[in-house]
Amino acid sequence: MKQYYQLSGEETIMQVNGSLEPLTEEQVLEHQEKYGPNELVEGKKKTTLQIFLEQYKDFLVIILIIAAIASGFMGDIESAAVILIVITMNAILGTVQTIKAEQSLASLKKLSGPEAKVLRNGSVVQIPSSEVTVGDIVMLDAGDYIPADGRLTECASLKVDESALTGESLGVEKTTDIIKEDEVPLGDRLNMVYSGSFVTYGRGAFVVTGIGMETEVGKIASLLKTTSEKRTPLQINLDQFGQKLSILILIFCAILFGISIFRGDNIGDAFLFAVALAVAAIPEALSSIVTIVLSFGTQKMAKEHAIMRKLQAVEGLGSVSIICSDKTGTLTQNKMTVEDYYVDDKCIKAADVDVNDPSQSRLLISSMLCNDSKNTDGVEIGDPTETALINLGSKLGLDPEAVRAKYPRESENPFDSDRKLMSTKHTMEGVPTMVIKGAVDVLLDRMTQIQIGDTVRPLTDDDRRNIENQNQSFSREGLRVLAFGYKVVSDEEELTLEDEYDLTFIGLIAMMDPPRDESRAAVAECKRAGIRPIMITGDHKVTAAAIAKRIGILENESEACEGAEIDKMSDEELKDFVEGISVYARVSPEHKIRIVRAWQDKGNIVSMTGDGVNDAPALKQADIGVAMGITGSEVSKDAAAMVLTDDNFATIVKAVENGRNIYRNIKASIQFLLSGNFGAILAVLYASIMALPVPFAPVHLLFINLLTDSLPAIALGLEPGSKDVMNEKPRPMNESILTKDFLIKIGTEGLSIAVTTMIAFMIGYQGGNELLGSTMAFATLCSARLFHGFNCKSDRPVVFTRKVVDNKYLIGAFVLGIVLITCVVMIPGLHNVFKVQTLTLTQLFTVYGLAAVNIPIIQILKGIRLLLKRRK
Ligand code: ATP
């Protein structure tokens, strides 16, 4: 049997589909059923049971289980049972959280999954790549990932990067020609495309011959290990801190154990207590809290149009100090309308263009031919610059499709943003003609003649000056200007880039792309938040500066420059230069990388937007690469850390705000957990120094740490965002979360909790009643930590903050915790199990009162800290 590359495109379609028609809806379903989804089979997913069992993997939990079993054998069945139940409930909580976090990450992944353009029911539709099936005709443009293996049926200067398969990083030029040889290596099958590679240039179409594991990349998929999610810098930081802290706590527990033995306590009891204290004090949940808060935070961000592709980037968002943004579509609406024509040395308003005037009609027809966009019943497909051109034609009564049918396209040099040109070949009135459009400065340099009316004459310096002046004056109004020209070319040959010289000028078209309504406010917010917004665009300098001025990015014309100026600078010079520049015009993707590096070298965390295939390296280089969800190429989305589903600059700023809030919330959770744990340790330490009885039974500590503590910690992670975070400067990236200030806060707050707990103990212990003392200490510690949740909501005293009650999760966690602890101390049936005794109402309210007193104390401490800070 012949290989697909030995068949023509049509023969291949016949072979896989049985006819030359594109797949019908039924056939698509049939094929999807037969061949399955177009996916590489990933490693097995963990079952719920596996996740549940993993919760027991923790070293201390294992010791605790051993200790519980040991105490069971020694006759203390109740303690053993309670410990096991508490551990199990904690494991259930952990399992639910892990599954929820995984689900939210999976749905996020789905949102940012790759897409493909296929021909279905006669029109091109965008579908998730996983739905592409054998027999589909897939359309390819520069920047598209190739979703499956297939035989090319159409090719226009198509170049493909197949490095993922062949290791060859240079783009391979493709053709549709049949290959006759038998055993052709993959890299030489020029009429085939393979899943996993991507289009670097040109256009094309192919019929799918293999999907999923049947593709070439699928065959080697077993070699490609699925990459596991990397830990975030914050998680690494916390893990390291956790390890050090654990060692300290273990030493402390060991000493305590020694003292108990020395005092003649029961070894089993002393051991169980030491282990329980270790479990209670070691903050092993820190890094999983980070995962949970990050995954819920990214869900919220996705709803607000920012999809985070890398969890690590969420933390980085809070440190962003430079946002480099494209202009077109990101800061502007990308809704272009033609405003002016410039032909025969005069300006004409778009509405006044006369289709019967030969010069004006030539410009109009050229703008429809050298154009890839479509407008089908009001649905615009293609680049807005180009749709604006055909829309004007339609408005003036010329049907673009009729014009294109009259002068069919025979060959083309597709647009690319490095060259800033596009050209197409048509036979016009019997003459093979290349029509060309592009950036005025680029095209004007290649013009040698001008057509005025029916006369073609050499382009004089005066003509050149007039055109340049007109371009300037359009640009100053913020208009995007395209120049048009033509050239008679050889009849037979395909167009090449060499044809794009020695051209005849026919006119200029100027169009308006108004700034987005929200851009100005977003730029102002950036500045307030200590972030420098910078415009980077392929457009003309004067146009870019005019728009930048309108939205507040630029104040002075001297803050604008062109990419070419950068070319002359060394990296060192550029580092000094970037400080004074807010607008970069006529920029190519290489300039973007240099600009990012220069700012990074100056110690900044840089966010950079990009949409084209060539933007991928700059997006990777940036700390937060941002791709456009609507207009961006698949390659740029793959390289980015964040994808904007609305392509909007304001969304980046909103994402920074969310990133800062998420970081603040994580910090609040950590503060809550560490200060509470510290309170418990201090209480035990005090009792031990003062030779008092141990204030807690092991089960008390486990109850608090494994049950009533987890929910407020997560609830704090879900605090509603606050705009206040945008009044602060960006957080230095290398700043550890555990700053001296933060540790002092944890220390003083822990001390307050410990003092109130020990007062409760002493009240209960007054008459030598150890059980009453420890009941009151346990209930106070538990309630104080619940109250303390409200302290952790904000860094500032509550009187200065928004409502204390705006987090319903925290209130829920608080109420549940208080009900649980009250039940434990007030229901006699639970007393043996929890090693407590019934409290009188007075005692109960003393407990509540002592616990609640932590709120005013800690609020005052916050006030003092704030005052001291202001004084500094
Ligand atoms: P951004 O602000 O996102 O960088 P841009 O649209 O200004 O966007 P490019 O798309 O790279 O940047 O365009 C650069 C220049 O190329 C434009 O200023 C314009 O002169 C020219 N140009 C843009 N689109 C086309 C097109 N479809 N055909 C020919 N020339 C074009």
Side-chain angles (χ1 to χ4, degrees):
M1 206 177 95
K2 280 188 172 177
Q3 302 287 338
Y4 290 122
Y5 55 81
Q6 296 173 308
L7 303 175
S8 70
E10 283 173 354
E11 283 166 344
T12 313
I13 301 179
M14 275 304 280
Q15 186 156 330
V16 290
N17 284 358
S19 88
L20 279 180
E21 295 302 311
L23 293 184
T24 61
E25 231 161 273
E26 293 84 60
Q27 278 176 308
V28 168
L29 292 176
E30 212 176 276
H31 283 201
Q32 282 174 339
E33 175 100 343
K34 183 170 162 195
Y35 299 105
N38 179 29
E39 283 166 352
L40 297 181
V41 182
E42 283 183 34
K44 266 198 186 157
K45 273 187 73 179
K46 281 183 200 153
T47 62
T48 307
L49 182 67
Q50 278 169 326
I51 297 174
F52 178 72
L53 291 178
E54 266 179 17
Q55 311 291 318
Y56 290 96
K57 263 193 188 161
D58 190 79
F59 171 68
L60 283 172
V61 174
I62 294 171
I63 298 218
L64 205 53
I65 294 173
I66 295 171
I69 294 172
S71 64
F73 275 119
M74 286 189 281
D76 192 355
I77 306 283
E78 273 161 358
S79 280
V82 172
I83 292 169
L84 292 179
I85 290 171
V86 169
I87 295 175
T88 308
M89 288 182 70
N90 181 59
I92 293 173
L93 207 68
T95 310
V96 172
Q97 286 163 4
T98 310
I99 291 175
K100 281 212 146 182
E102 274 182 5
Q103 278 170 348
S104 87
L105 289 178
S107 69
L108 212 60
K109 245 191 200 142
K110 221 178 199 169
L111 276 180
S112 64
E115 300 204 310
K117 294 179 286 258
V118 297
L119 203 59
R120 295 257 171 100
N121 289 329
S123 49
V124 178
V125 286
Q126 188 121 348
I127 58 167
S129 291
S130 59
E131 290 173 19
V132 169
T133 193
V134 173
D136 262 326
I137 305 287
V138 178
M139 317 306 283
L140 296 175
D141 283 301
D144 284 350
Y145 261 107
I146 292 170
D149 289 2
R151 167 69 162 93
L152 283 164
T153 55
E154 225 183 290
C155 228
S157 315
L158 185 71
K159 277 193 194 154
V160 174
D161 181 320
E162 295 182 335
S163 53
L165 285 157
T166 59
E168 171 59 60
S169 61
L170 277 184
V172 183
E173 209 157 333
K174 294 286 178 180
T175 73
T176 50
D177 301 343
I178 295 176
I179 299 172
K180 298 218 173 66
E181 292 83 39
D182 268 336
E183 300 276 315
V184 181
L186 201 120
D188 294 339
R189 298 178 200 163
L190 297 183
N191 55 19
M192 297 286 291
V193 283
Y194 294 100
S195 174
S197 39
F198 63 91
V199 181
T200 55
Y201 189 76
R203 286 190 310 117
F206 72 97
V207 53
V208 176
T209 55
I211 60 166
M213 296 305 279
E214 292 308 310
T215 58
E216 293 298 325
V217 76
K219 289 177 195 157
I220 53 167
S222 52
L223 304 175
L224 307 166
K225 285 260 173 300
T226 45
T227 47
S228 58
E229 194 67 55
K230 274 207 291 195
R231 299 183 80 64
T232 74
L234 181 57
Q235 284 176 322
I236 294 169
N237 188 316
L238 288 174
D239 283 348
Q240 286 165 352
F241 171 77
Q243 272 165 15
K244 282 185 208 148
L245 194 66
S246 304
I247 293 171
L248 279 180
I249 291 169
L250 286 176
I251 293 173
F252 175 68
C253 292
I255 294 173
L256 215 67
F257 177 64
I259 294 175
S260 308
I261 301 294
F262 182 69
R263 275 203 209 144
D265 292 351
N266 174 309
I267 294 190
D269 288 349
F271 181 66
L272 193 57
F273 182 79
V275 175
L277 185 64
V279 173
I282 291 175
E284 69 283 345
L286 288 189
S287 108
S288 61
I289 291 258
V290 176
T291 311
I292 292 162
V293 176
L294 285 180
S295 62
F296 286 119
T298 46
Q299 281 286 304
K300 175 168 180 270
M301 292 172 77
K303 284 193 196 113
E304 291 171 1
H305 307 296
I307 297 174
M308 299 307 296
R309 298 190 68 254
K310 296 177 186 142
L311 265 198
Q312 296 94 307
V314 183
E315 285 167 35
L317 271 174
S319 300
V320 165
S321 49
I322 304 288
I323 300 182
C324 298
S325 171
D326 283 340
K327 171 178 73 68
T328 313
T330 315
L331 288 160
T332 66
Q333 299 178 8
N334 214 7
K335 284 194 193 117
M336 309 250 183
T337 33
V338 174
E339 302 250 313
D340 297 278
Y341 264 40
Y342 174 75
V343 275
D344 289 354
D345 214 5
K346 59 179 186 280
C347 259
I348 303 155
K349 281 275 151 221
D352 302 330
V353 169
D354 179 1
V355 289
N356 297 316
D357 175 277
S359 301
Q360 295 173 35
S361 137
R362 184 179 308 112
L363 185 55
L364 185 61
I365 287 176
S366 303
S367 74
M368 294 167 120
L369 291 177
C370 185
N371 189 318
D372 287 327
S373 70
K374 277 201 167 70
N375 187 338
T376 322
D377 304 325
V379 182
E380 294 178 349
I381 301 172
D383 179 356
T385 305
E386 298 195 338
T387 38
L389 299 173
I390 56 166
N391 286 348
L392 178 70
S394 307
K395 229 188 256 168
L396 296 170
L398 276 188
D399 175 11
E401 293 315 314
V403 173
R404 289 168 181 174
K406 188 170 169 196
Y407 308 112
R409 186 182 293 186
E410 293 159 18
S411 169
E412 67 189 278
N413 283 319
F415 171 74
D416 85 272
S417 49
D418 272 339
R419 209 168 95 257
K420 300 179 177 41
L421 296 177
M422 164 178 181
S423 54
T424 54
K425 179 178 159 189
H426 314 262
T427 303
M428 300 175 86
E429 324 314 336
V431 184
T433 310
M434 177 187 79
V435 182
I436 184 162
K437 76 174 192 305
V440 185
D441 32 353
V442 179
L443 215 49
L444 199 54
D445 284 347
R446 303 174 178 212
M447 300 283 185
T448 47
Q449 306 183 89
I450 182 169
Q451 178 149 11
I452 306 275
D454 287 332
T455 330
V456 177
R457 61 167 172 75
L459 191 79
T460 63
D461 286 347
D462 273 349
D463 294 327
R464 220 176 267 282
R465 212 169 303 119
N466 288 344
I467 297 169
E468 271 164 5
N469 287 344
Q470 192 53 55
N471 182 32
Q472 285 285 333
S473 100
F474 281 146
S475 301
R476 269 195 295 273
E477 292 170 43
L479 297 174
R480 155 175 287 212
V481 195
L482 288 183
F484 286 78
Y486 74 91
K487 176 181 180 175
V488 175
V489 284
S490 131
D491 197 4
E492 271 109 58
E493 282 164 44
E494 298 267 315
L495 285 185
T496 65
L497 295 184
E498 278 69 54
D499 291 316
E500 292 179 334
Y501 290 89
D502 200 6
L503 310 164
T504 304
F505 178 83
I506 50 178
L508 302 178
I509 298 184
M511 50 195 103
M512 186 60 193
D513 177 20
R516 285 177 181 266
D517 294 336
E518 55 278 38
S519 290
R520 204 183 158 79
V523 165
E525 179 155 28
C526 260
K527 291 186 168 171
R528 189 155 51 80
I531 302 167
R532 171 102 181 254
I534 288 169
M535 180 192 276
I536 298 198
T537 175
D539 215 338
H540 191 268
K541 179 168 138 182
V542 180
T543 309
I547 301 280
K549 207 168 201 173
R550 258 183 243 176
I551 53 182
I553 286 188
L554 164 142
E555 278 158 26
N556 206 309
E557 307 294 326
S558 63
E559 291 165 38
C561 78
E562 284 195 358
E565 292 176 48
I566 300 180
D567 286 334
K568 296 183 212 123
M569 291 177 199
S570 68
D571 287 346
E572 219 29 58
E573 285 167 331
L574 183 62
K575 235 169 96 177
D576 293 332
F577 181 71
V578 288
E579 198 70 57
I581 298 299
S582 298
V583 173
Y584 296 85
R586 291 286 187 243
V587 162
S588 68
E590 296 82 66
H591 296 134
K592 284 188 169 185
I593 305 181
R594 291 193 66 203
I595 296 167
V596 170
R597 280 215 195 103
W599 277 114
Q600 283 174 331
D601 286 349
K602 288 166 79 79
N604 288 279
I605 301 297
V606 184
S607 162
M608 166 68 86
T609 66
D611 46 14
V613 51
N614 300 338
D615 286 335
L619 294 183
K620 282 194 181 141
Q621 172 71 36
D623 301 278
I624 312 279
V626 182
M628 302 297 140
I630 304 172
T631 54
S633 61
E634 291 298 316
V635 173
S636 65
K637 289 184 207 168
D638 194 58
M642 176 161 93
V643 178
L644 307 179
T645 55
D646 60 355
D647 291 11
N648 191 344
F649 174 78
T651 304
I652 308 176
V653 183
K654 183 83 200 154
V656 169
E657 183 188 319
N658 275 320
R660 288 187 178 190
N661 271 313
I662 290 172
Y663 192 83
R664 190 202 59 171
N665 291 351
I666 289 174
K667 222 170 155 178
S669 297
I670 295 173
Q671 180 191 348
F672 172 79
L673 287 174
L674 291 186
S675 51
N677 288 3
F678 188 57
I681 296 186
L682 279 183
V684 173
L685 184 66
Y686 176 78
S688 145
I689 292 172
M690 303 307 285
L692 292 167
V694 188
F696 314 108
V699 62
H700 297 164
L701 294 174
L702 298 178
F703 178 87
I704 295 174
N705 277 78
L706 300 183
L707 279 186
T708 54
D709 235 17
S710 319
L711 292 179
I714 294 169
L716 279 168
L718 304 179
E719 273 279 297
S722 139
K723 278 258 164 219
D724 290 354
V725 289
M726 294 303 265
N727 293 329
E728 294 155 18
K729 294 271 160 284
R731 165 178 52 84
M733 187 62 174
N734 47 11
E735 178 188 281
S736 156
I737 196 165
L738 303 152
T739 54
K740 198 170 114 212
D741 264 7
F742 192 62
L743 292 176
I744 290 176
K745 209 165 16 175
I746 289 171
T748 48
E749 293 173 2
L751 183 65
S752 166
I753 293 173
V755 169
T756 47
T757 302
M758 283 319 285
I759 292 176
F761 178 80
M762 296 311 285
I763 293 174
Y765 183 59
Q766 255 167 4
N769 185 347
E770 270 185 40
L771 187 59
L772 182 59
S774 91
T775 304
M776 286 188 69
F778 163 46
T780 306
L781 179 66
C782 181
S783 320
R785 296 186 66 166
L786 291 167
F787 276 107
H788 184 48
F790 294 96
N791 285 324
C792 298
K793 279 172 69 82
S794 164
D795 263 352
R796 297 198 286 168
V798 115
V799 267
F800 298 125
T801 59
R802 62 191 192 286
K803 285 180 293 171
V804 195
V805 288
D806 62 354
N807 181 350
K808 58 179 192 289
Y809 303 108
L810 187 62
I811 294 172
F814 173 78
V815 171
L816 185 70
I818 291 288
V819 169
L820 278 178
I821 185 67
T822 309
C823 288
V824 166
V825 293
M826 298 310 276
I827 298 176
L830 296 175
H831 289 175
N832 266 350
V833 176
F834 283 101
K835 306 266 184 287
V836 289
Q837 77 170 60
T838 309
L839 298 183
T840 62
L841 274 186
T842 321
Q843 287 162 343
L844 184 66
F845 280 96
T846 309
V847 163
Y848 289 158
L850 280 169
V853 107
N854 279 291
I855 290 198
I857 295 178
I858 291 172
Q859 295 301 321
I860 292 169
L861 285 176
K862 276 190 204 181
I864 296 173
R865 263 202 310 271
L866 209 68
L867 277 179
L868 288 178
K869 221 183 200 175
R870 284 209 183 130
R871 273 228 190 117
K872 262 190 211 163

